[in-house]
Structures are given as structure tokens and as C-alpha cells.
Amino acid sequence: MSVTTLSSQALAQRQPSWLVRLFDYKPFLIVMCLAPAIGLLAVFLTYPLGLGIWLAFTDTTIGRRGVFVGFENFQYLLTDPLWWNAVFYSVVYTGIATFGKFALGFWLALLLNNHFPFKSILRAIILLPWIVPTVLSALAFWWIYDPQFSIISYLLVDVLHWRSTNVDFLGSAWPARFSLIAANIWRGIPFVAISLLAGLQTISPSLYEAAMLDGASAWQRFRYITFPMMMPILAIVMTFSIIFTFTDFQLVYAITRGGPVNSTHLLATLAFQRGIAGGELGEGAAIAVSMIPFLIFATLFSYFGLARRKWQQGESND
Amino acid sequence: MRNDITRRDALALGLSAAALAAGTPANAQSAIKAADVPAPKLAIEKGATLRMLRPVRFVQADEDVFRANATKFTKETGVEVKVDFVGWEDINQQTAVTANSGAGPDIIIGFSDAPHIYIDKLIELTDVADYVGKKYGGWLPLAQRYGKKNKSDAWIGLPFGATAGPLIYRKSILQSVGFDKVPEDHAGILDLSQKLHKAGKPAGFALGNAKGDGNGFANWALWSHNASLLDEEGNVIINSKETIAALNWVKQIYPTFIAGTPSWNDVSNNRAYSSQEISLTANGVSLYFSLKNDPATKAIADDSEHQLLPKGLAKVSPMAGLTLNAMVFKHSPYPNAAKAFLQYMLEKDQYEPWLNANSGYWSQPLAAYAEAAVWKGDPKVSIFKDTMNSTYYDGYKGPISTATGAVSADYVLIQMCASVATSAATPEAAAAEAEQRCKRYFRRQK
């Protein structure tokens, strides 16, 4: 039996290659692992957002490359009554619709949290307004609100004889605004109700049992157990709801296109109207960018709503 | 109750009719005169293929005959032509992308002002325009306005036809309130509208964000009072005493309309008229055909008449037509083939069957085609024959530009009228606000 010894050259050859050593280098490995995610974010998030913000500072139009104009678009918007009107209605629309969705959604979630026959089927049915494509539900509401052919008018005028004329839902400013808010509430309730129902089901029944032994009333159980325990999920769902409502487009565009007399333009519909239909890409982008402060406010609202709850960080709540 | 899709279906003449129209030799019974003019020498590039976009058909036979003509061109020249039909709302965006990227279709048939917006990206079509113009009796005024570069004889677009929205009314209802037709003066129109309202069959004109009907009514209200968006030099003159007079008149007549017109879109007046809620509105020929082709509503069609929009203070009926306007892009590797194709499609053998197949929906841009059979059938359709004789257009009476289309697309003039009608603003305030918005759009056009 012969014994061979490895030469120093052979030993050197068995050393890991530079590529292997490179991937063993921790900082490089971190960069390589993060690169795909960063690339995706850059392509699908940063680039469109950056381009939108850049356009807001130019006078680009469809068919014409723009030049940098600084804050000119924003200065113009501050003098534009229609932009102010859109800001006003966006805030009103978001405020009232969010309040309506949460009041009704929370109530619905509490009802669905009880034990009753066919619970699963009813929960599935509740989701219907949410899963129907927005444009389809918008078209349905457009018919419901039609000045001549509304089913509501038909019931009130022809069936019940409570009115002599049709209801003109969309023909003047405030009725049109409230009609759109009602449609948005109808569409948004399932999202709120199902999300809050999921939260309700995480609350331990033992808390309620203990409270009942202590003689707490139903209101006290809601006030001191349900509501505080639901705060984190309420804050998250409300943030999403505010963002979805504030940036709503389809309902308004399909039903009124911002009319009558531009009274129902949200910032999103006005941005589309000016940027795409009107061809003023720079101005449309500026209107879209002007939504960002409102959206940041909504996000911060959620962040601080959650962060102050110490128990989420593993500490007891004050 | 009917919807727009149903009406389109009702309008469709069917494949058999289209095939008949395409297959019948145009010369067989044609009354169209063609002058003996030498055609421009267009050396078609070797191996040329073409791709074109055009707005989707409103009448099925429009597409069928158009495709049949394109196939004939391929057979005769060997040039493959791929024609894509896109939605009316999408054609502007697709044209913008094509123009900005310098890639895509060789030819796009857009709407009225499109060539003026992308003028730097297009090749001149003057040789073809001059040839077919001389051969077929000359280009009509609206075709010249939209086809030629502003203040120039250079052609940047080749108009293929236009559709209009004249008045349509119920003859028996007008007679019941003492009118044979709609008066030409504003006081008379107001009187008629008040009487129709009292009779429970009111008038209704779109005051909502309706691209076609809403802009049609707003423009007519202004033009019939001799008001206009621009002067001849392109200055915004919307805030004028004529505009204030027009707005005051709109404020007077609005209460006589059926309720809800500020929320009307482009199908609302069709539905209200079809269901006999209103007796007077303005619309394209499509409404009449939908009523005529449905046995359930044929009696309404029989009782309906068309009339050009009333003159008011204008010398002629102030009615503009929505025009199909063909462009050839500089990025096309086969510009001669593209020009030859457009020329071929405007020649009598192809154009006449196509015009007839459209049943009056599109009217001709060349004078000689006024003799086409389509205008000699139903007398209630013949009013559409002179659509392109109009001297009114979007942006009247200034130069056509990107901004004239933008003002229309942003509903600036409709909202000016609607805000006064609904008492949301005074005429003076509404005109001032419209002026501010228009000046914004026109700030780069000078």
C-alpha cells in the first residue's frame, strides 16, 4: 500500500474559488439577496412614483415633451377653484364615507360574531358587494340614480304614490355628492365588516365570562373589552379604508364623471380629467401629487394609533 | 328600455348587406362624377406592409366594407394591410403613444383635430389630397379646416367623413303645441320649449359631462349667439358679451327641460327620447335608426323629424361634425404605400360602397359623393348629407390646436353653461372661470 502526499500546489487548488469566497463575504451576500427585491421596488414603485413627481414639476402635455417649470403647476392649482372644490369634496367624501362604513361595518361585524343558523352562508353573502367589480356596481348605481328611470323614483312615484315627480339624484351638487357617498359606503361595508369580524374572533371569550361574573352590562363589556381590544385592527382597517376612499376613482368616474357642474370631482378623477382627457400631463400629475400629504397623514394616523399601545411591544398597556 | 349596445346592434346592417355593398360594382348605378385627373406617382416601397388603427365601427357594415376594401388593395398591390379597430375613447391615447414613441402603426385615423396635435410627427399628404380633391368635386369646408395645416394649403390629414348631431323632434307633439318645426330664433325656441314642458313632453339637452351631446349643446348655445371660444388669431374671447347673452338664454330655457340634464351623459338623451319622456333633443342618426329598426319603437321613428340646429343670430346653422381624420406617421418605413392606401380608399370604387354601407352615419368630405345612393333613400336621413359643409368646428373661429381639443375633452364650455343653468354661478362668474381655464390650455399656443 502506498501513501501519497498532496503537493502544496494541489492543496492550493482545493482552496475555495474566488466566487465562493465572494459569496461567503457577508456584506456582498446581503446586497445580492436584497438586489431582486430592491430591483422590483425600483421598477414597479420608485420609477412610476418618481416619474409622476417629476412630471408634476414640468409642463408636459400629451404629444409634447415638457420642460421643468418648478412649482408653477402647484401655484396654478392654488388659484383654481376646481382644485379647491376637489380637495373639499375628497375630504368630505372620505370623512363621511369612512364614518358610515365603520359604523355600519362594525355593527355588522358584531352581529355576524354571534351564533346563528347559516352563519357561514350569510358571511359569504355579506362579501358580495366587495367582490363585484367596482365598475359593475357603479353601473348599477348609475341606473338606480338615473333621473328618468330610477327604481327608487319608480317605487316612490308609481308604486307608493309618495311623490309626484322623480328624484333627481345626480342633477344638482349636494344630492349627487351624497349619492356617491352612499354608493361608496355600500361597497366598502363588507371590507370593514369582515376585517373587524376577524378581529372580534381573536378576543378571548374568557374576558367576557370574567366581566359577566363581575356584573358588567353589555355596554360595559363593549366599552371596556371589545373596543380596546379592537383598537389595533380598527386603526389598520381605518387607514386602509381612508386611503382607498380618498383615492377612489371608478365609482365617481363611472357614475358622474365629476359632474354635475364639476361638484363631485375627487382629486383622483380631476387628475385623470386634466392629465389624460385634457392632455395636461404635468398638471394632472401635480393634482395626483397633491394627494400625497393627505395620504401620509392617514398613514401616520395609523402608525401613532398603534405605536402608543405598549402591549403590542410585549409590555402591559397603560 | 334599450341600451347603447342594443342600438348599435339594431343599426348594424349585417354581413350580407356589407358583402352586397362591397361586392356590387360601384360603377353599376353610380351617379358620382369623377374628373379626369392624373394620379400622383407613388412608388410603393418593395416589400411594404402597413398597419393602421381606426375608431371602432358604429355600424357593423362600416367595418365589413372597410376591411373588404383593404383586402382589395392587398390583392391589387401586394401590400399587406392590417387594420385594428379601437374604442373611441382610446384612440387619442394610442395616437399619443405612437407619436411620442415613434413606433407603431403607419396610419391612424383619429378624430377631428388629431393631425394638428401631432403635426411634427406626420408626413404631408398634399399630393393625394389635391388629386382626390380635383377628381371628386373638391373638399368640403369642414374637411379643409381639419385636413389642412392652419393658415396653409399643406394637407396633414385626409378626412374620411363626419357625423353630426342635429335636432330630432316628435312632429305630432310639436304640432299639438302649435309648431310645425323648431323656430330658428332664440325667443321662438324658448316659447316652444315652455309649451312642450307644459304639455308634459319637454325638451332635453345634455348639460352633463357628455363629450358629444354636451359639447354639441354648449357650442350651439354659444355659436348661435355669435359667441366663440377664440378669435381668428387664436386669442381666447370666451368672456364676451355674446357669451353672457348665451348664458342668460341657457338660464331661461333650462327650467323647461326635463329634470336631470346636468347629469346626462352621451346615451341619456337617446334613452329619454326612446322612452317618450322627451319630445325634442339633438342627436346623431343612430337614434333615428335604432327607433326605425325596432318594431316596438317604429311608430316613434315615423313621428320623428330631423332639423339642422337653429341659426339663432348666426348666418348658417352652427353645427360642427365629428370628423374621421387620417394621418401617416414619419416613422413609417413605407410612406408611399401608406399614401397609396389612403388614396385608394377615397377613390369612388371603394369610398362609395363604404359611404352607402354607413347608412348616413358618416357623411362625405368630397363634394362629388353627395350624389351617393345613401342620401336618396330615406328623406329623414338626407339632412346629414351636408355635415361637412359646416364652417363651424371645435375651437371656432381660431386656429385648431391641442388646446381646442383639450377644452372640449375637459368639458369647460359645458360646465360653464351648466353652472349658470343650475344657478351655481352667475353668467359673468361662469364666463370668467371658463376664460381662466381656457387661457391655461392656450398658454403655449401663441
Side-chain angles (χ1 to χ4, degrees):
Chain A
M1 183 176 163
S2 63
V3 176
T4 56
T5 55
L6 289 170
S7 67
S8 59
Q9 190 180 0
L11 277 171
Q13 280 175 347
R14 288 183 58 179
Q15 293 256 328
S17 70
W18 66 270
L19 197 60
V20 173
R21 278 183 280 126
L22 186 63
F23 274 93
D24 277 346
Y25 182 55
K26 200 173 175 184
F28 178 78
L29 193 62
I30 291 170
V31 169
M32 286 307 292
C33 289
L34 285 178
I38 292 170
L40 284 172
L41 282 174
V43 171
F44 293 112
L45 187 69
T46 312
Y47 174 71
L49 184 66
L51 180 63
I53 292 172
W54 164 250
L55 283 174
F57 290 95
T58 70
D59 64 352
T60 308
T61 60
I62 287 179
R64 176 182 170 278
R65 201 178 292 276
V67 295
F68 182 77
V69 293
F71 286 94
E72 194 270 341
N73 285 322
F74 296 97
Q75 284 170 335
Y76 172 75
L77 290 177
L78 291 175
T79 67
D80 180 8
L82 199 46
W83 181 80
W84 282 108
N85 181 70
V87 169
F88 166 73
Y89 184 54
S90 296
V91 172
V92 169
Y93 183 81
T94 307
I96 299 177
T98 304
F99 178 80
K101 278 185 274 195
F102 269 78
L104 295 170
F106 203 177
W107 175 62
L108 196 57
L110 289 169
L111 288 180
L112 291 173
N113 199 34
N114 293 321
H115 293 290
F116 52 86
F118 309 113
K119 191 166 66 176
S120 302
I121 294 173
L122 273 172
R123 283 179 184 172
I125 291 171
I126 296 297
L127 267 178
L128 274 179
W130 182 252
I131 58 174
V132 171
T134 312
V135 168
L136 193 61
S137 47
L139 286 174
F141 272 99
W142 182 54
W143 274 103
I144 290 169
Y145 294 147
D146 190 282
Q148 273 81 50
F149 307 103
S150 162
I151 182 70
I152 300 173
S153 289
Y154 173 73
L155 285 173
L156 295 177
V157 177
D158 297 325
V159 178
L160 300 173
H161 305 292
W162 286 356
R163 286 176 59 95
S164 56
T165 55
N166 286 0
V167 185
D168 188 10
F169 290 99
L170 303 177
S172 49
W174 279 105
R177 286 170 176 156
F178 282 115
S179 299
L180 290 175
I181 288 169
N184 184 277
I185 289 174
W186 175 86
R187 181 162 171 74
I189 283 175
F191 170 70
V192 175
I194 297 296
S195 304
L196 297 188
L197 177 62
L200 284 172
Q201 294 189 335
T202 64
I203 301 173
S204 169
S206 62
L207 292 172
Y208 292 107
E209 287 163 13
M212 286 175 82
L213 288 173
D214 288 344
S217 65
W219 168 248
Q220 285 170 322
R221 291 198 299 277
F222 176 79
R223 170 72 183 81
Y224 295 107
I225 298 174
T226 309
F227 194 70
M229 296 296 285
M230 289 293 287
M231 271 305 287
I233 194 156
L234 272 171
I236 288 177
V237 176
M238 186 170 283
T239 304
F240 276 100
S241 179
I242 289 172
I243 291 170
F244 290 154
T245 313
F246 197 82
T247 57
D248 193 11
F249 174 84
Q250 295 179 74
L251 267 181
V252 173
Y253 206 76
I255 297 174
T256 65
R257 295 201 172 198
V261 200
N262 288 324
S263 59
T264 59
H265 263 307
L266 298 173
L267 285 168
T269 56
L270 187 65
F272 178 84
Q273 183 64 38
R274 294 274 172 84
I276 305 299
E280 291 276 347
L281 286 175
E283 193 179 310
I287 296 169
V289 166
S290 73
M291 297 164 75
I292 292 176
F294 296 97
L295 298 173
I296 289 175
F297 173 78
T299 309
L300 291 179
F301 175 80
S302 164
Y303 175 78
F304 287 113
L306 285 170
R308 67 188 177 84
R309 305 196 66 78
K310 290 181 183 174
W311 61 266
Q312 287 220 310
Q313 314 299 325
E315 301 172 36
S316 64
N317 202 8
D318 289 332
Chain B
M1 207 171 290
R2 304 166 61 84
N3 60 33
D4 198 39
I5 294 168
T6 312
R7 271 196 300 280
R8 286 185 185 212
D9 293 343
L11 262 172
L13 298 180
L15 279 168
S16 56
L20 189 69
T24 305
N27 293 325
Q29 294 176 338
S30 176
I32 290 163
K33 293 189 176 97
D36 189 13
V37 179
K41 289 189 171 61
L42 295 167
I44 294 177
E45 298 84 356
K46 199 175 175 190
T49 59
L50 295 172
R51 190 181 155 221
M52 88 176 290
L53 292 185
R54 56 149 287 185
V56 72
R57 81 286 187 277
F58 206 85
V59 179
Q60 178 62 44
D62 171 354
E63 179 175 340
D64 296 333
V65 178
F66 200 90
R67 284 197 190 282
N69 285 340
T71 305
K72 268 174 65 185
F73 177 76
T74 301
K75 276 184 189 162
E76 291 177 24
T77 62
V79 178
E80 288 287 339
V81 185
K82 183 174 185 293
V83 185
D84 289 323
F85 289 74
V86 296
W88 288 26
E89 301 288 339
D90 298 333
I91 196 89
N92 285 342
Q93 281 80 354
Q94 298 210 24
T95 308
V97 171
T98 301
N100 286 339
S101 65
D106 306 87
I107 306 167
I108 293 183
I109 296 185
F111 286 118
S112 311
D113 53 4
H116 299 262
I117 298 171
Y118 306 107
I119 189 166
D120 298 337
K121 314 282 184 183
L122 305 176
I123 64 169
E124 267 195 32
L125 302 167
T126 309
D127 48 355
V128 176
D130 284 348
Y131 161 68
V132 289
K134 284 175 188 161
K135 188 169 181 181
Y136 295 110
W139 291 94
L140 297 177
L142 194 62
Q144 292 197 42
R145 172 61 67 176
Y146 281 131
K148 287 181 184 175
K149 196 189 287 188
N150 290 318
K151 296 178 182 172
S152 155
D153 282 329
W155 288 77
I156 49 173
L158 287 179
F160 266 62
T163 185
L167 296 178
I168 180 167
Y169 62 85
R170 293 290 300 275
K171 193 167 50 182
S172 65
I173 298 173
L174 257 65
Q175 282 171 347
S176 73
V177 296
F179 289 82
D180 281 330
K181 56 180 219 166
V182 180
E184 293 289 337
D185 63 307
H186 292 112
I189 300 164
L190 180 61
D191 182 36
L192 165 65
S193 198
Q194 285 166 339
K195 286 175 175 157
L196 291 174
H197 186 255
K198 198 178 274 183
K201 293 287 180 188
F205 292 86
L207 278 163
N209 289 350
K211 179 79 175 78
D213 296 328
N215 277 309
F217 176 73
N219 278 329
W220 168 57
L222 293 170
W223 295 338
S224 67
H225 282 87
N226 286 334
S228 65
L229 173 63
L230 301 171
D231 64 13
E232 287 83 352
E233 301 305 312
N235 300 303
V236 175
I237 55 164
I238 193 64
N239 192 0
S240 65
K241 65 179 192 316
E242 290 84 3
T243 298
I244 303 294
L247 294 176
N248 276 315
W249 182 78
V250 169
K251 190 175 176 63
Q252 279 184 292
I253 198 169
Y254 169 71
T256 70
F257 289 172
I258 193 168
T261 51
S263 66
W264 273 13
N265 64 17
D266 273 319
V267 300
S268 303
N269 58 350
N270 301 47
R271 286 192 286 132
Y273 191 91
S274 301
S275 62
Q276 309 197 57
E277 298 275 329
I278 58 171
S279 58
L280 169 65
T281 190
N283 210 300
V285 75
S286 57
L287 174 56
Y288 171 70
F289 268 107
S290 71
L291 296 167
K292 182 181 170 182
N293 292 336
D294 185 343
T297 55
K298 187 169 182 308
I300 304 174
D302 292 341
D303 188 36
S304 294
E305 292 287 348
H306 287 113
Q307 181 182 327
L308 292 178
L309 296 179
K311 292 176 194 165
L313 303 176
K315 289 179 183 149
V316 296
S317 169
M319 187 174 71
L322 178 68
T323 302
L324 289 176
N325 212 348
M327 305 163 263
V328 177
F329 286 86
K330 280 179 181 168
H331 65 244
S332 169
Y334 311 113
N336 281 350
K339 285 161 71 172
F341 176 68
L342 293 177
Q343 179 183 310
Y344 182 84
M345 298 295 267
L346 285 165
E347 294 276 14
K348 185 169 76 170
D349 288 350
Q350 288 68 244
Y351 191 84
E352 189 183 7
W354 181 74
L355 188 67
N356 289 337
N358 275 291
S359 310
Y361 193 78
W362 297 115
S363 70
Q364 70 286 340
L366 292 154
Y369 290 125
E371 299 303 318
V374 66
W375 306 125
K376 293 170 184 161
D378 188 337
K380 290 181 182 177
V381 173
S382 61
I383 190 175
F384 291 88
K385 181 178 75 174
D386 295 321
T387 298
M388 297 202 80
N389 269 319
S390 174
T391 50
Y392 288 85
Y393 54 92
D394 263 2
Y396 170 83
K397 44 192 166 178
I400 298 169
S401 64
T402 315
T404 54
V407 167
S408 162
D410 200 13
Y411 312 117
V412 177
L413 303 181
I414 303 172
Q415 296 304 330
M416 178 179 72
C417 292
S419 62
V420 173
T422 58
S423 300
T426 62
E428 290 76 13
E433 192 177 325
E435 180 185 37
Q436 182 198 3
R437 189 65 211 151
C438 292
K439 281 188 171 170
R440 175 78 177 163
Y441 276 125
F442 281 92
R443 68 192 186 281
R444 298 186 209 87
Q445 306 300 325
K446 300 293 289 177

